[in-house]
Amino acid sequence: MPAGAHAAGPGQRHVPAVADSAARRRLGALRAEVGKAVVGQDAAVTGLVIALLCGGHVLLEGVPGVAKTLLVRTLAASLAMGTKRVQFTPDLMPGDVTGSLIYDARSAEFSFREGPVFTNLLLADEINRTPPKTQASLLEAMEERQVSVDGVPRPLPDPFMVIATQNPVEYEGTYPLPEAQLDRFLLKLILPLPERRDEIEVLHRHAHDFNPRDLASAGVTAVAGPQDVAAARAEVATVEVAPEVLGYIVDLVRATRTSPSLSLGVSPRGATALLATSRAWAWLSGRGYVTPDDVKALAHPTLRHRVQLRAEAELEGVTAETVLDGVLGSVPVPR
């Protein structure tokens, strides 16, 4: 095999390794830059980069104190992009997120005042603490990349990405996101409690004057910008997918629809999301084609929030993770 070539994926000819590009180097540096402030969450960092490459949104779930907000703030500091944060509360109104018309007494006219959604990276902190009406105000922004006020559509900046956080253990006084809105998130990333060695490293940094409110003092700087993201997306779009791999993705999502533990399986939108995230991961890995292993690696974060368990299955201790494990174990892998 010639130097620089890789074995092809199922049904594909031998494909040369993707040439190293400035976009890949900078997106790789982005992952390292976030690691200067966030310890032990490499999978979540990679997931955020994949979502950025796909132009999708991310739901972060974890107990308090696992660096959800710090992770997003550090990602924003590592990118030369605009970022805003909204703390979702029960009294937050839709106009507080999208913006509203303000009457100007001097001109006797209404003018539009942009809300925090007009940015590149929007951190929606504790999104499940605000009522459905305000949650729904993000739907158009997330799907259409625009906000309509008084019948006038106003485009959002490009790139635009919503990173929402929620706490999985406190449900009193919260408003669970409906399935229609959950489906708008490309990935749901779970931030676990850190391993012992990672927790020691966290304490070591704090003992040596690490200040999570001053990321510049930790050496975090912008290593990529909108032009790098645009170039990376163009390169991801060239990643090849064999018909057998496409069939494998379809077989996986169709298997969720017939699972006896689920009342709601993955929709075709979920299948296209799994295709997109698998291509992005293949590109980050330096390959010009998608393998079944790429699909397996992204199945859980891409699909876990797109399935709904039956009540009796929940009572038996079944989780979305165990169902997806079963699906991945039962669907034949193309060779």
Side-chain angles (χ1 to χ4, degrees):
M1 188 181 299
H6 287 247
Q12 288 184 304
R13 60 187 183 281
H14 289 298
V15 183
V18 177
D20 191 22
S21 67
R24 183 181 290 103
R25 288 195 301 273
R26 288 176 180 169
L27 269 294
L30 177 63
R31 292 193 284 175
E33 201 70 15
V34 174
K36 291 180 179 179
V38 181
V39 180
Q41 300 293 358
D42 295 342
V45 174
T46 300
L48 289 174
V49 174
I50 287 174
L52 192 62
L53 289 171
C54 297
H57 311 288
V58 176
L59 182 62
L60 289 179
E61 186 173 279
V63 298
V66 292
K68 297 188 296 295
T69 304
L70 177 62
L71 174 59
V72 179
R73 288 180 54 244
T74 309
L75 177 70
S78 304
L79 291 164
M81 297 182 188
T83 179
K84 293 179 182 175
R85 174 181 178 272
V86 179
Q87 179 66 51
F88 279 71
T89 57
D91 60 348
L92 194 72
M93 299 297 291
D96 297 331
V97 177
T98 61
S100 56
L101 294 174
I102 304 297
Y103 182 72
D104 188 341
R106 289 176 295 181
S107 63
E109 294 180 347
F110 285 93
S111 61
F112 179 68
R113 179 177 295 173
E114 293 183 349
V117 75
F118 285 86
T119 188
N120 297 120
L121 296 178
L122 176 68
L123 171 56
D125 227 346
E126 297 188 288
I127 192 172
N128 57 335
R129 291 202 172 277
T130 201
K133 185 176 182 180
T134 304
Q135 291 174 355
S137 68
L138 275 176
L139 277 176
E140 183 187 13
M142 293 171 66
E143 190 68 18
E144 306 296 336
R145 277 18 182 217
Q146 69 177 24
V147 168
S148 295
V149 177
D150 199 30
V152 179
R154 294 174 169 84
L156 296 173
D158 183 39
F160 171 71
M161 180 179 177
V162 173
I163 306 175
T165 71
Q166 66 178 15
N167 180 347
V169 295
E170 270 185 40
Y171 290 109
E172 187 175 350
T174 63
Y175 305 86
L177 292 171
E179 285 71 25
Q181 187 157 1
L182 282 172
D183 205 38
R184 261 60 175 192
F185 287 99
L186 180 73
L187 297 171
K188 179 181 178 181
L189 304 177
I190 308 296
L191 272 67
L193 291 168
E195 299 288 339
R196 182 176 185 273
R197 64 180 181 276
D198 293 327
E199 199 159 4
I200 290 174
E201 175 61 22
V202 170
L203 296 185
H204 175 79
R205 293 186 182 190
H206 280 267
H208 289 79
D209 299 325
F210 170 71
N211 183 357
R213 288 173 290 279
D214 183 10
L215 295 175
S217 66
V220 178
T221 59
V223 296
Q227 68 279 4
D228 300 306
V229 174
R233 288 177 179 176
E235 292 180 16
V236 170
T238 67
V239 174
E240 296 185 26
V241 190
E244 291 85 353
V245 176
L246 291 176
Y248 181 54
I249 293 173
V250 169
D251 290 342
L252 286 175
V253 300
R254 290 179 69 86
T256 66
R257 299 171 197 165
T258 57
S259 170
S261 298
L262 298 179
S263 60
L264 178 68
V266 179
S267 70
R269 180 187 286 146
T272 60
L274 185 54
L275 170 63
T277 56
S278 300
R279 293 178 87 185
W281 176 237
W283 179 84
L284 277 174
S285 302
R287 281 180 283 99
Y289 56 91
V290 177
T291 69
D293 283 341
D294 297 325
V295 177
K296 286 184 175 182
L298 273 300
H300 279 272
T302 308
L303 304 181
R304 59 167 55 111
H305 56 296
R306 303 176 192 273
V307 298
Q308 186 173 346
L309 291 167
R310 295 186 185 276
E312 54 271 27
E314 284 191 87
L315 291 173
E316 294 171 1
V318 176
T319 65
E321 308 298 324
T322 56
V323 172
L324 291 175
D325 283 338
V327 167
L328 288 169
S330 64
V331 174
V333 180
R335 300 295 179 188

